[in-house]
Amino acid sequence: MAALHGHGFAVTVLLVVLLVQCDAAEATTCAGAVPARPRPETVSIAEFGGVGDGRTVNTWAFHKAVYRIQHQRRRGGTTLLVPAGTWLTGSFNLTSHMTLFLARGAVLKATQETRSWPLAEPLPSYGRGRELPGARYTSFIHGDGLRDVVITGDKGIIDGQGDVWWNMWRQRTLQHTRPNLLEFMHSSGIHISNIVLKNSPFWNIHPVYCDNVVITNMMIIAPHDSPNTDGVDPDSSTNVCIEDSYISTGDDLVAIKSGWDEYGIAYGRPSSGITIRRVRGSSPFSGIAIGSEASGGVSNVLVEDCSIFNSGYGIHIKTNIGRGGFIRNITVDNVRMNSVRNGLRIAGDVGDHPDEHFSQLALPTVDAVSIKNVWGVNVQQPGSIEGIRNSPFTRICLANVKLFGWRNNAAWKCRDVHGAALGVQPGPCAELTTSLSSGFCSY
C-alpha cells in the first residue's frame, strides 16, 4: 500500500488525468468562476528560513511568510513558492490575496506531533467536534474569513501523514476530532488545483460557510482502510465547482453537507449551486454523496460525466429523522459505474446524532431528484430508495438507468417514495410508476 501511494505513482496518475483533460479542453467547465490569476510578486519559503530537508520543522517559517504577505498587502497579492524538497511543518494559516504554489518535486508534509497540534472551536452548525464533543484539531492548512486565495502548483504534494491519527482513532485514544487537511471557513474566491493531496488525517478539502470555490485538476489519495478520509466535502457553502479530478480514499469521494441536526437547523445555511463534473475514483463507501449531515439544506446540485469504480455505493443520498432540512433539485447525469456494491441508495435512516437533544419531529424532505443516463457493470445490487414514513421522498426520477452484473434475485428496494422510472434495468419497484405522463421525469 505504501508503494501504491508513493510520490512516483501519485505524479504518474496525475499526469494521466491531466492528459485526458487536455483532450477535453473544449468541454463544459465551471472552473473559470475563480481563476488562478498570476501574482505580481513571488517569495520563496526559503527566504523565511525554511529548509526542505524532510527533517527541519518549518512551522515558524510558514507563519513568518504568511504574516509578511498579510501585512505587506502587495497590490494584486503575493505567491508563496514552495520549491522542490520535503518541507515538514505543523498547522499554519493562509491569508487573503495569496497563492501557495508547490513546485514540481515539492512535498509539504505535516508533522506527527499530535500533542502540540492546535485546537479550534467546534463549527456552530455542528455544535461539537464531528467525532468527539468539544473542540477539534485545526486543519493542517487553514483559512478563515479570507478572499482570493489560490493553492496550486506543478504537481506538488501535500502529505498529511495521517497514519498516526488513523491509529489513534482505531485505538480510541483521540482527545478531539481529527484535523482536516485543507479547510476554509467564511471565505470566498478559493481556487485549489493541480496538486496531489495524500494521507489526510480526516476529510481532505472542507470548504465550510464559503462561496465561490473551485477545485479542479486534483488528485486526492489515501488507503481504502483509512477512516473518514473524504475527498471533498462542501459544507454550508454555495457556488462550488469540483471538476477534472481523481479521488481514491477511505470514505466518500465527494460528500455535500450543511450541518448536523438541531445545530445545523439553527445555523440555517444551505449548500447550493454545487457542480461535480468529470470526477473519477474509488472508495469503500460512496462515490458521490449528499449528507447525512444536511440539516441546513442542500439544493441545486449537478453531478455529470463521472466514473465510479471499486466502490460501495455509486450515488448515495442520505439523511435521517432529526436532521430536518431539505435535499432538493438534484440532477445526476451520465455516470458510469464498474464493480460497485450498490448502484444507488437514497435513504432516510442513515447517520448518528450529536447528542440526545435532536427532535424526532425534525423530518427532512427529499424532493426533485433526477438520476438519468447511468450505466453500470459488475453492480451487485441495483439499489434502494427508502424514505421516511411521515416524510416520503417525492418526485424521484430514474431515467435510462441500466445496471448489470447483479445476482438473479437482485431487485430495487423502495418504500415511502413517489416518483417515476423510465428505461430502468433491472425493472423498477412498483412505487416508481412507468407512466410517460410524468412530466418531471424524462430522458
Side-chain angles (χ1 to χ4, degrees):
M1 184 62 73
L4 179 62
H5 293 292
H7 299 169
F9 174 80
V11 171
T12 299
V13 176
L14 184 59
L15 282 169
V16 171
V17 172
L18 293 176
L19 286 171
V20 170
Q21 289 149 10
C22 287
D23 292 337
E26 300 303 318
T28 302
T29 181
C30 51
V34 186
R37 295 188 179 93
R39 307 286 188 188
E41 178 189 47
T42 298
V43 296
S44 170
I45 190 63
E47 298 174 35
F48 299 88
V51 180
D53 60 2
R55 299 184 304 274
T56 303
V57 178
N58 294 288
T59 311
W60 181 237
F62 278 99
H63 283 226
K64 286 193 294 182
V66 174
Y67 181 89
R68 187 264 196 195
I69 294 169
Q70 180 181 6
H71 290 84
Q72 186 104 357
R73 295 183 178 179
R74 184 64 58 98
R75 183 178 180 86
T78 299
T79 294
L80 177 59
L81 171 66
V82 181
T86 300
W87 306 84
L88 190 65
T89 176
S91 171
F92 64 93
N93 294 332
L94 301 180
T95 190
S96 294
H97 310 300
M98 77 167 285
T99 296
L100 179 66
F101 188 94
L102 277 66
R104 184 183 294 263
V107 181
L108 190 56
K109 184 173 287 191
T111 67
Q112 294 186 312
E113 291 295 328
T114 61
R115 288 176 294 180
S116 59
W117 203 272
L119 295 176
E121 290 296 313
L123 295 169
S125 57
Y126 283 72
R128 47 160 280 184
R130 184 60 186 85
E131 297 184 286
L132 292 166
R136 61 201 183 103
Y137 291 109
T138 302
S139 61
F140 177 46
I141 299 177
H142 189 74
D144 190 356
L146 305 184
R147 292 185 299 117
D148 178 28
V149 179
V150 176
I151 301 176
T152 189
D154 186 9
K155 309 172 189 67
I157 296 170
I158 299 178
D159 184 353
Q161 293 211 97
D163 56 326
V164 64
W165 298 97
W166 307 334
N167 288 332
M168 291 168 65
W169 178 84
R170 293 174 181 126
Q171 296 160 10
R172 301 182 183 273
T173 58
L174 279 169
Q175 301 298 307
H176 304 280
T177 297
R178 286 170 285 158
N180 302 309
L181 197 59
L182 310 180
E183 181 178 76
F184 288 94
M185 302 172 56
H186 308 288
S187 298
S188 64
I190 306 301
H191 176 107
I192 303 170
S193 68
N194 206 36
I195 57 174
V196 178
L197 305 183
K198 60 184 294 188
N199 299 328
S200 175
F202 197 51
W203 302 343
N204 275 271
I205 303 178
H206 186 220
V208 58
Y209 321 137
C210 288
D211 181 52
N212 285 335
V213 178
V214 166
I215 299 162
T216 183
N217 293 331
M218 291 291 295
M219 179 176 176
I220 303 173
I221 53 176
H224 270 197
D225 64 350
S226 57
N228 311 109
T229 51
D230 298 26
V232 184
D233 286 4
D235 197 342
S236 293
S237 292
T238 52
N239 302 314
V240 179
C241 170
I242 305 164
E243 283 187 341
D244 297 314
S245 295
Y246 173 87
I247 307 173
S248 176
T249 62
D251 212 315
D252 300 341
L253 306 185
V254 178
I256 303 170
K257 304 175 182 290
S258 65
W260 200 10
D261 284 9
E262 68 269 26
Y263 304 104
I265 294 170
Y267 197 79
R269 178 158 179 175
S271 281
S272 65
I274 313 292
T275 300
I276 303 164
R277 182 183 286 125
R278 294 185 299 275
V279 169
R280 62 183 300 269
S282 64
S283 159
F285 290 93
S286 307
I288 307 298
I290 298 175
S292 70
E293 310 93 320
S295 300
V298 175
S299 65
N300 302 327
V301 174
L302 173 63
V303 179
E304 64 178 357
D305 302 331
C306 292
S307 176
I308 300 162
F309 56 93
N310 298 335
S311 297
Y313 299 95
I315 305 296
H316 195 184
I317 299 173
K318 42 188 174 175
T319 186
N320 206 344
I321 294 172
R323 288 288 191 263
F326 54 83
I327 298 172
R328 63 181 180 229
N329 297 335
I330 312 298
T331 299
V332 177
D333 187 10
N334 192 27
V335 171
R336 298 292 180 261
M337 303 177 188
N338 191 349
S339 300
V340 171
R341 192 169 64 248
N342 287 270
L344 167 68
R345 186 186 188 199
I346 307 178
D349 61 352
V350 176
D352 55 350
H353 302 282
D355 51 41
E356 70 278 8
H357 303 302
F358 72 93
S359 171
Q360 293 280 350
L361 300 178
L363 300 180
T365 61
V366 177
D367 177 63
V369 176
S370 175
I371 314 286
K372 56 185 180 179
N373 302 319
V374 175
W375 181 276
V377 295
N378 302 314
V379 177
Q380 294 181 23
Q381 294 286 342
S384 58
I385 307 173
E386 298 178 296
I388 298 170
R389 178 179 300 173
N390 294 320
S391 185
F393 299 165
T394 54
R395 293 196 295 168
I396 308 299
C397 168
L398 305 185
N400 193 29
V401 175
K402 312 284 190 185
L403 304 176
F404 302 97
W406 32 270
R407 301 183 182 94
N408 290 334
N409 60 349
W412 294 91
K413 298 179 181 178
C414 299
R415 71 167 187 265
D416 300 306
V417 57
H418 305 293
L422 304 170
V424 174
Q425 188 171 347
C429 45
E431 289 82 351
L432 301 181
T433 69
T434 56
S435 171
L436 293 175
S437 65
S438 301
F440 67 90
C441 189
S442 61
Y443 284 84

